[in-house]
Every structure is written in C-alpha cells, then in structure tokens.
Amino acid sequence: MDNVPPSWPRAVVFDLDGTLVDSAPDIGAALNATLATDGLAPFDVDRVKTMVGGGSRRLIERALAAHAESADAGRVDRLVEVFEKAYADHPCRKTRIFPRAIAVMDTLAARGMRIGLCTNKPGVAPRLLLAALDLTRYFGAVVTGSDGFAKKPDAAMLAATFAQLGCTARDGVMIGDSAADVGCARAAGCLVVLVSFGYTPEPAHALGADAVVDGFDEILPVLQTLHHSHMRA
C-alpha cells in the first residue's frame, strides 16, 4: 500500500447490493417466499430494488408497509428469520457482478490500493455471496450488518472497514448506490462516489455524492481526479 501513487486513494471501500452485484433477483425470490408464508402477494424485481438497503429488518418492514400490513415487532422478527434462512440457502442463483467491476478491482489491486466491503446485509449471506462469485480474494476487509456496528448511514461500519485496511477514511473513497452510503461517508469523513444503476428510489444525482458514475468504466478516472483534489484542499 505504501507504493500507491499519491494522486490515488490508499483504499477503496465498496457497498455490495446494487453497487458491485445485481442481487435483487435472489433477494426478491427470498422475500417473496417469506411473504407467501403470511399469504401476501409477491413483488416484481423492480419493486424489490426500491426496498433494499438498511438490512433484512428494513426490507421486511418496507414490504409489509407496501402491503399496508401491520409490522409489529414480533411479526417482523419472525419474517426476518424466515427471510434470512431462505436467502442464505440460495444467495447466488441469479446474482451477477456488474459489468467491468472485476476489471476495476484488478486495476486497484495492481496499483497497490486496499479494497474493502461495507454492507448492511446481515448474516452469512454476504460472505457466501462473495465466495460464490469468486470475489473474496479482492477484499482485505469485509464488514457486514452482523458484525456489531451501527448500520449505515452511521459512520461506524465504514470507519471499521478503513481501520481494518490500515488507513483512515480521509485516505480512502466509498463507492455505493444509496443515501445511506453518502451519509456514512460524510459522517466518516471520506469521499463518496455513487453508481447511477443501484437500488435506491431517489435518483443518485440527487443524493449529494462527490461524483456519480453510470458504469464501472468511469470509476478509475473519477477516483484519481477526486482524490487528487481532495488531498490538495
């Protein structure tokens, strides 16, 4: 990491769902199977994308709200348990890595940058997913919603990810897709880049990121430009 050119960040931390991988089909399948246990109708994948973010509990709460159903704590607890088991059983049937993501991570690693993952997704599913897609090898730190930190947009998870990578937030960049990613980056004190194709009901350009990209082919030049300007400020 000491060989990283000064114009580049020392570390890059990615969000998972909607940023690195298109996991909505598998999340949706597990969610719909869970809702069926209560006799509730399924959602299509585009609707599921607007519900992802904040972890399993928020997903279940949003799904129940969309059905105008009660979301008392006991019911949510029960459905979260059903969902997490269903998803962990099949986390990667239809999930795919977004185009050019692998090439970007290969380049970051080749230039000496550390790569981390910071996701609100809880349980064993994040690491199962990384293993199934052969992504584990890229990450020097993986922090999930089950690792005991307050979830994004709180800064705790992101700060812990950078610490495990051996640097501070000011030395790095967060890449995500949502308001929660912007919020945690701002709270931690690092730059944040959003992808425009992620899972958020609001347009990415309206969320206050330092930059928004429409594809992974735009990320490398944006990282270099942003970090160079940031370090000169």
Side-chain angles (χ1 to χ4, degrees):
M1 186 166 65
D2 292 336
N3 295 323
V4 177
S7 60
W8 288 89
R10 296 179 70 196
V12 178
V13 174
F14 290 92
D15 173 51
L16 184 59
D17 298 311
T19 301
L20 273 180
V21 300
D22 184 9
S23 51
D26 288 319
I27 293 172
L31 175 63
N32 288 334
T34 300
L35 295 174
T37 65
D38 272 21
L40 300 176
F43 294 106
D44 65 34
V45 69
D46 287 333
R47 188 67 183 278
V48 172
K49 289 178 181 179
T50 70
M51 299 178 185
V52 174
S56 303
R57 191 172 193 86
R58 291 292 294 126
L59 176 67
I60 295 299
E61 289 172 346
R62 290 172 182 141
L64 290 174
H67 276 303
E69 288 279 325
S70 65
D72 63 87
R75 186 183 195 185
V76 173
D77 288 344
R78 174 174 54 81
L79 293 178
V80 165
E81 184 175 354
V82 173
F83 168 78
E84 290 187 351
K85 182 182 185 308
Y87 185 57
D89 285 345
H90 302 289
C92 201
R93 280 179 165 171
K94 296 183 178 180
T95 294
R96 297 293 181 266
I97 305 165
F98 282 116
R100 299 283 300 165
I102 292 293
V104 167
M105 290 194 291
D106 281 337
T107 301
L108 295 176
R111 293 181 180 177
M113 280 168 271
R114 298 287 178 88
I115 304 173
L117 186 81
C118 181
T119 174
N120 280 340
K121 185 194 287 288
V124 299
R127 290 177 172 86
L128 290 175
L129 186 56
L130 293 179
L133 295 172
D134 194 27
L135 293 176
T136 306
R137 57 199 169 99
Y138 288 101
F139 296 104
V142 175
V143 176
T144 77
S146 294
D147 289 338
F149 302 101
K151 293 182 176 65
K152 298 180 291 184
D154 192 280
M157 293 179 71
L158 183 56
T161 309
F162 280 120
Q164 290 179 28
L165 293 173
C167 64
T168 67
R170 179 171 171 77
D171 297 320
V173 178
M174 171 77 190
I175 299 178
D177 71 323
S178 69
D181 294 318
V182 175
C184 77
R186 293 287 178 246
C190 76
L191 295 167
V192 57
V193 177
L194 292 186
V195 299
S196 64
F197 47 80
Y199 303 163
T200 172
E202 310 93 347
H205 289 277
L207 298 179
D210 295 294
V212 178
V213 298
D214 295 323
F216 269 84
D217 56 329
E218 300 175 24
I219 284 180
L220 292 174
V222 164
L223 285 178
Q224 186 174 24
T225 301
L226 278 180
H227 186 72
H228 183 65
S229 300
H230 180 58
M231 296 310 292
R232 293 181 62 185

